C-alpha cells in the first residue's frame, strides 16, 4: 500500500531521458490511416451513409453537441464501426460508460430476457431487479441504502436534496447549514443544482442565476476546506476522488481524510462523486477504497448499467433516516430492464480477478505511454490510476485527438482542452492498449503542425 499511496500523493513526471531521444525519429512518420473494415457479424444494418446522417442531424436536433465527424452504427468488444464498415479502436467507452465493451453476451442476455419479461412499471410498485441491485450495492459498499436515478447529474441532484433535508432533520431548532463546497476542475452535471457545483464558468454563466450557496475551493487545499467547514454553514462537501472531466487529477489521502474529519466535527456530509471514477475504473470497485476514507453519500452512474441510463445515490443509514415518502422520486429510475442489466455489470466488475486485471492493464498502459511519449516536448505528464489515464500537454489536445481518429483510434479531451483522456472499456486487451499507444505516438506530429 505504501507505493500506491506515494503515487497518489506525488505527481508522475514523464521521464525525459536522453536514451528516449531516438524516439524523435518516429515523429517523422505519418499517422496511420488503415482501411480496416467490420467483419460480417457486426456490419451495420442501415442504408444511410455517414454524410447523410450528419446532414440530417443538423436539421432535426438541437445543437448542443460539437460532435466528432464520425457516425457509429455498431460495436463489438472494444471496436466500433461506422455505416461504411470502417473499424475504430474505442478508448472512450462512451465517456467511461461501456465498461464491458460493446455487445457483451451476458449483458445482452440480461437485457433481452428482462425486456421479454417486464420493462417498466414505475416506482408505484415493487420490482425484483431493483431490490436485487440495491441489495448488491449495499453488500459491496459502505452504504446502507440506495436511491436510484437515471444519470449522474440526477444522482447528484438527489445528493443535494438529501444533504439539505439531513441538516433540517438533525438540527430542527437552529439555523440549518444550507451551503455547499465544491472544488476547482470539478464536474458534477448539467442540471441546475449539479451545474451550480461544477467549476467551469462557461458551463454555468449562460444559465445564471444557478443554485446559490456554493463555495469553490482549490482541489487539495486542506486548510481552506477545513476552515470553511468549521464555519457551520456547510451542508455537504462534494468531491471527486479522481477528477475525470477536470483533467484526471487524483486527490491525496491527506486531503480526503481532512475533509472526513472536518465534516465529522461540524456535522456536514461528505459526498464522493464517483460517477466517472467508480465501479472498477481505477482497479478498485470504488475509487475511495484507495484512500481508506468513507463518505456519507456516494453518487454513481456511467458504467453501472453498461450503456443503459441509470444513476444512484448510495447513502448511510443516518442520511436515509432523514428522507421520507415524497421527498424525492423519479418515474423511470430503477426500472426492471435497466436494473437487470446493472446486476450483470456489477456481478462481473466486482470480481477480484476482474479488478486485478484492470489494475494490471492500467499500470502497463501508463508505463507504456510514458516510455513511448516521454521524448516529446509537448508531453508534460502522464497520470491516472487503473484505466482512467490523462496525458497532459502544453498545447491543445484537439489536433492529436483528430489525428488519432483519422487513424482509427477514438480518444477524448479533458481539463482545459489540453489533456488527452483515455477511458477504454475495462475488458480491453494488452494488445489493444499497445495498438492505442502506437497510434498516439504516430500521431504526435499533429501537435506541431497545428499549434
Amino acid at each position: 500500500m505504501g507505493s500506491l499511496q506515494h503515487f497518489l500523493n506525488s505527481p508522475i513526471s514523464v521521464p525525459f531521458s536522453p536514451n528516449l531521444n531516438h524516439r524523435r525519429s518516429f515523429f517523422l512518420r505519418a499517422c496511420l490511416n488503415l482501411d480496416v473494415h467490420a467483419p460480417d457479424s457486426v456490419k451495420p444494418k442501415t442504408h444511410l451513409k455517414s454524410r447523410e446522417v450528419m446532414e440530417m442531424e443538423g436539421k432535426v436536433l438541437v445543437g448542443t453537441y460539437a460532435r466528432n465527424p464520425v457516425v457509429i452504427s455498431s460495436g463489438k468488444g472494444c471496436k466500433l464501426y461506422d455505416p461504411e464498415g470502417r473499424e475504430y479502436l474505442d478508448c472512450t467507452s462512451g465517456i467511461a460508460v461501456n465498461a464491458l465493451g460493446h455487445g457483451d453476451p451476458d449483458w445482452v442476455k440480461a437485457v433481452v430476457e428482462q425486456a421479454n419479461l417486464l420493462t417498466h412499471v414505475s416506482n408505484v410498485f415493487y420490482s425484483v431487479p431493483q431490490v436485487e441491485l440495491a441489495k448488491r450495492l449495499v453488500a459491496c459498499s459502505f452504504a446502507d441504502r440506495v436511491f436510484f436515478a437515471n444519470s449522474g447529474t440526477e444522482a447528484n441532484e438527489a445528493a443535494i436534496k438529501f444533504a439539505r433535508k439531513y441538516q433540517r432533520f438533525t438540527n430542527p431548532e437552529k439555523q440549518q447549514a444550507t451551503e455547499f463546497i465544491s472544488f476547482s476542475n470539478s464536474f458534477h452535471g448539467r442540471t441546475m443544482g449539479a451545474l451550480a457545483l461544477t467549476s467551469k464558468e462557461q458551463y454555468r454563466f449562460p444559465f445564471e442565476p444557478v443554485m446559490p450557496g456554493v463555495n469553490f475551493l482549490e482541489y487539495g487545499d486542506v486548510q481552506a476546506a477545513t476552515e470553511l467547514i468549521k464555519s457551520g454553514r456547510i451542508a455537504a462537501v462534494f468531491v471527486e476522488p479522481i477528477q475525470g472531466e477536470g483533467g484526471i487529477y487524483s486527490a491525496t489521502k491527506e486531503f480526503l481524510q481532512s475533509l472526513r474529519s472536518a465534516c465529522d466535527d461540524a456535522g456536514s456530509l461528505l459526498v464522493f462523486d464517483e460517477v466517472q471514477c467508480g465501479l472498477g475504473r481505477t482497479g478498485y470497485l470504488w475509487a475511495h477504497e484507495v484512500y481508506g476514507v468513507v463518505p456519507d453519500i456516494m453518487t454513481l452512474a456511467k458504467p453501472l448499467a453498461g450503456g443503459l441510463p441509470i444513476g444512484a445515490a448510495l447513502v448511510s443509514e443516518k442520511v436515509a433516516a432523514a428522507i421520507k415518502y415524497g421527498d424525492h422520486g423519479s418515474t423511470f429510475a430503477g426500472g426492471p430492464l435497466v436494473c437487470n442489466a446493472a446486476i450483470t455489470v456489477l456481478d462481473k466488475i466486482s470480481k477480484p480477478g476482474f479488478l486485478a486485471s484492470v489494475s494490471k492493464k492500467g499500470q502497463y498502459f501508463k508505463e507504456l505511454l510514458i516510455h513511448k511519449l516521454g521524448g516529446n516536448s509537448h508531453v508534460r505528464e502522464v497520470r491516472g490510476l487503473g484505466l482512467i489515464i490523462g496525458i497532459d500537454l502544453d498545447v491543445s489536445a484537439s489536433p492529436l485527438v483528430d489525428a488519432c481518429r483519422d487513424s482509427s483510434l477514438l480518444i477524448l479531451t479533458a481539463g482545459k482542452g489540453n489533456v488527452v483522456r483515455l477511458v477504454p472499456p475495462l475488458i480491453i486487451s494488452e494488445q489493444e492498449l499497445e495498438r492505442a499507444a502506437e497510434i498516439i505516438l504516430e500521431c504526435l506530429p499533429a501537435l506541431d503542425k497545428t499549434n
Side-chain angles (χ1 to χ4, degrees):
M1 195 65 184
S3 61
L4 181 58
Q5 290 173 358
H6 175 75
F7 160 73
L8 289 166
N9 285 278
S10 306
I12 298 179
S13 300
V14 177
F16 296 102
S17 171
N19 62 11
L20 287 175
N21 286 340
H22 70 277
R23 295 199 170 271
R24 294 185 184 275
S25 63
F26 286 111
F27 304 156
L28 300 176
R29 292 182 284 177
C31 289
L32 301 176
N33 198 347
L34 302 180
D35 194 18
V36 180
H37 290 280
D40 290 340
S41 61
V42 291
K43 280 188 177 177
K45 298 176 176 64
T46 177
H47 65 281
L48 293 174
K49 301 298 183 184
S50 292
R51 182 175 295 278
E52 294 174 304
V53 174
M54 288 186 274
E55 289 175 353
M56 190 183 305
E57 186 270 356
K59 297 175 181 178
V60 297
L61 287 174
V62 177
T64 53
Y65 302 107
R67 301 180 197 269
N68 286 287
V70 175
V71 176
I72 302 299
S73 55
S74 63
K76 189 66 178 174
C78 297
K79 305 292 175 55
L80 291 169
Y81 304 92
D82 68 12
E84 290 73 34
R86 182 174 179 180
E87 180 182 282
Y88 296 88
L89 178 56
D90 181 17
C91 279
T92 72
S93 303
I95 315 182
V97 168
N98 301 104
L100 299 182
H102 306 278
D104 176 79
D106 295 323
W107 181 90
V108 171
K109 183 172 181 285
V111 171
V112 171
E113 287 181 352
Q114 188 61 48
N116 281 318
L117 189 63
L118 182 67
T119 300
H120 174 75
V121 291
S122 87
N123 287 298
V124 172
F125 306 99
Y126 297 90
S127 64
V128 175
Q130 183 181 105
V131 175
E132 286 291 341
L133 176 59
K135 185 171 71 173
R136 281 168 164 80
L137 287 168
V138 167
C140 66
S141 74
F142 74 94
D144 299 300
R145 297 179 185 267
V146 180
F147 174 84
F148 286 114
N150 302 288
S151 65
T153 192
E154 284 188 34
N156 283 322
E157 293 286 347
I160 291 169
K161 291 181 70 175
F162 292 173
R164 285 267 180 93
K165 182 68 189 299
Y166 171 80
Q167 296 297 341
R168 185 179 297 273
F169 177 79
T170 54
N171 302 293
E173 303 300 326
K174 69 175 187 178
Q175 183 175 353
Q176 280 87 42
T178 60
E179 297 182 25
F180 297 93
I181 292 176
S182 189
F183 295 95
S184 58
N185 300 312
S186 63
F187 184 87
H188 297 289
R190 295 179 183 270
T191 50
M192 291 301 277
L195 182 64
L197 295 168
T198 295
S199 66
K200 286 187 178 179
E201 289 187 15
Q202 64 265 36
Y203 290 158
R204 301 195 316 270
F205 178 74
F207 309 104
E208 290 179 341
V210 295
M211 180 184 71
V214 177
N215 304 271
F216 288 103
L217 302 177
E218 191 68 26
Y219 189 68
D221 190 332
V222 172
Q223 183 177 351
T226 301
E227 289 177 359
L228 188 52
I229 294 168
K230 284 181 178 178
S231 71
R233 307 195 315 266
I234 304 304
V237 178
F238 280 74
V239 62
E240 300 156 272
I242 298 179
Q243 295 180 323
E245 177 78 16
I248 321 299
Y249 291 105
S250 298
T252 64
K253 186 171 184 178
E254 178 197 8
F255 177 50
L256 295 186
Q257 284 182 332
S258 71
L259 294 180
R260 178 70 279 170
S261 178
C263 284
D264 287 342
D265 291 342
S268 303
L269 296 181
L270 180 59
V271 182
F272 285 167
D273 180 336
E274 294 210 14
V275 168
Q276 185 162 167
C277 64
L279 284 160
R281 177 60 55 184
T282 61
Y284 292 78
L285 187 57
W286 314 118
H288 67 263
E289 290 182 88
V290 180
Y291 307 90
V293 180
V294 176
D296 300 298
I297 303 176
M298 176 171 64
T299 55
L300 305 174
K302 288 181 179 294
L304 181 53
L308 295 179
I310 193 171
L314 278 60
V315 304
S316 64
E317 190 62 47
K318 74 174 185 180
V319 176
I323 310 304
K324 304 303 179 186
Y325 296 129
D327 280 347
H328 200 36
S330 170
T331 298
F332 288 103
L337 180 68
V338 176
C339 284
N340 207 49
I343 288 170
T344 298
V345 174
L346 184 60
D347 283 352
K348 282 197 163 190
I349 287 178
S350 60
K351 291 179 179 177
F354 187 97
L355 293 169
S357 74
V358 173
S359 182
K360 178 184 176 184
K361 288 184 292 189
Q363 186 65 27
Y364 176 69
F365 194 27
K366 186 161 72 264
E367 291 174 355
L368 189 64
L369 290 167
I370 291 172
H371 177 65
K372 284 183 175 290
L373 311 184
N376 188 276
S377 61
H378 293 302
V379 178
R380 296 192 295 200
E381 186 181 10
V382 177
R383 56 179 176 257
L385 182 65
L387 286 171
I388 178 168
I389 294 175
I391 305 170
D392 196 331
L393 305 174
D394 66 355
V395 293
S396 170
S398 294
L400 179 57
V401 171
D402 293 343
C404 287
R405 183 185 65 242
D406 291 342
S407 297
S408 299
L409 172 67
L410 302 180
I411 56 178
L412 300 165
T413 60
K416 296 179 175 63
N418 64 309
V419 178
V420 172
R421 178 173 22 166
L422 300 165
V423 282
L426 303 184
I427 63 163
I428 195 166
S429 68
E430 289 191 357
Q431 291 76 17
E432 287 169 322
L433 292 173
E434 290 165 1
R435 181 71 181 137
E438 187 62 27
I439 292 174
I440 294 171
L441 172 64
E442 296 283 354
C443 290
L444 280 176
L447 295 175
D448 295 314
K449 292 177 184 177
T450 309
N451 291 288

